[in-house]
Amino acid sequence: MQTNWFIVIRVGEAWWIDNEGKAFGPFPNREEAGAEALEIARVFGDTARQSRIYWPGDDGRHRLVWSGK
């Protein structure tokens, strides 16, 4: 099964969501970008694929913060 990845990234002072080459944003902080990524995954996600949301922790390394269909 393929996975639908949502990756929250910081560009300059703004936060963005990358979903398979589509950009969503900007958002003022990581938490708002993450909440929007979750909403997009739940509303528009492909039910045949697992969705995963990753965002950077305080150390800068990306971590899985949500997984579901």
Side-chain angles (χ1 to χ4, degrees), residues 3 8 10-11 13 18 20 22 30-31 33 35-36 39-40 46 51 53 55 61 64 67:
T3 303
V8 176
R10 185 175 183 184
V11 179
E13 295 300 313
D18 175 44
E20 300 182 335
K22 294 179 188 171
R30 177 181 65 183
E31 290 73 19
E36 185 65 21
E39 185 69 17
I40 293 168
D46 184 348
S51 291
I53 299 172
W55 75 16
R61 295 178 5 191
L64 176 66
S67 179

Side-chain angles (χ1 to χ4, degrees), residues 4-61:
N4 187 5
W5 297 50
F6 294 84
I7 302 174
V8 176
I9 58 171
R10 185 175 183 184
V11 179
E13 295 300 313
W15 291 86
W16 293 79
I17 304 164
D18 175 44
N19 175 236
E20 300 182 335
K22 294 179 188 171
F24 300 91
F27 300 94
N29 57 55
R30 177 181 65 183
E31 290 73 19
E32 285 189 36
E36 185 65 21
L38 180 58
E39 185 69 17
I40 293 168
R42 287 182 172 164
V43 173
F44 299 108
D46 184 348
T47 58
R49 294 170 40 185
Q50 183 83 14
S51 291
R52 291 186 177 168
I53 299 172
Y54 291 86
W55 75 16
D58 293 336
D59 61 0
R61 295 178 5 191

